[in-house]
Amino acid sequence: MTRAVPLGPRSITALALVSAVGVIAFGWPFLAPPTSQVGAHAQDAPWLFAGLLVLLVAVVAATISESGLGPKAVAMLGVLAATGAALRPLGAGTAGLEPMFFLMVLSGRVLGPGFGFVLGSVTMFASALLTGGVGPWMPFQMLAMGWFTMGAGLLPGPDRLRGRTELALLSAYGFLAAFAYGTVMNLAGWPFMGALASNIAFDPDAAVPANLARFIAYCVATSLGWDLGRAIVTVVLTVTLGPAILKALRRATRRAAFEAPVTFDAPVA
């Protein structure tokens, strides 16, 4: 199967590095012992977010430098990122109705995990600029969306599964990943909510099981409805629009022939 951005050793290493740092950045409330001064990280958070953004850019640069992201792949990336960024404001602020997620699932499925990670990160960055959502949370959103889109490219059977079976697989992935995205993004803000809700706020002096129970209560109380709306919209759009969009993406991929080198003929005298 043709990959718009095949992952090589340097790209995989950079992706593993940024993912490892991202896991630590998301999960530090459960990794730090109760005796540590984790509350002090609230002041350091902007620097951590900025570091994540730098690492994300490094992943993109490593992918481009190793795989030779050609003009055709750049054009495809631009079109899909612009479309995803334009879809996001359509449901922003309305019960988690975010239609951009289904496009990320389908694009990652057809174009592969390398292209999917770059596309998810760039799309979230572009949508943040479009909606004015630039802030310390943006690098986390870029990383989470990169994971989300890359995961669709790692699903089994990219050359064999077609029709209803593939749609069922993509729908199931989109449903679960929509909840996973919301849960991961909750981790980005939950430790810094302070004493706004003492029963569900992060307690730096509590043990991991107690904080885990608080976090689950926080997710149920604040984002369950949003995550459910996102998941349902992703499934509905995947089932209804998925066949046509998958066909269009695969046709465009075949015509683009990303792995074929670009050559220029000499001008005719």
Side-chain angles (χ1 to χ4, degrees), residues 78-137:
V79 170
L80 291 175
T83 304
L87 286 174
R88 191 182 181 199
L90 296 181
T94 310
L97 305 181
E98 299 177 89
M100 69 173 289
F101 280 79
F102 97 99
L103 180 62
M104 298 296 102
V105 172
L106 302 182
S107 300
R109 172 66 171 177
V110 174
L111 295 162
F115 188 93
F117 184 83
V118 177
L119 174 63
S121 302
V122 172
T123 301
M124 188 57 70
F125 177 75
S127 67
L129 296 179
L130 183 63
T131 60
V134 178
W137 56 84

Side-chain angles (χ1 to χ4, degrees), residues 20 44 123-124 143 159 170 186 192 248 253 267:
D44 303 331
T123 301
M124 188 57 70
L143 181 59
D159 297 319
L170 295 178
N186 284 340
F192 310 114
T253 301

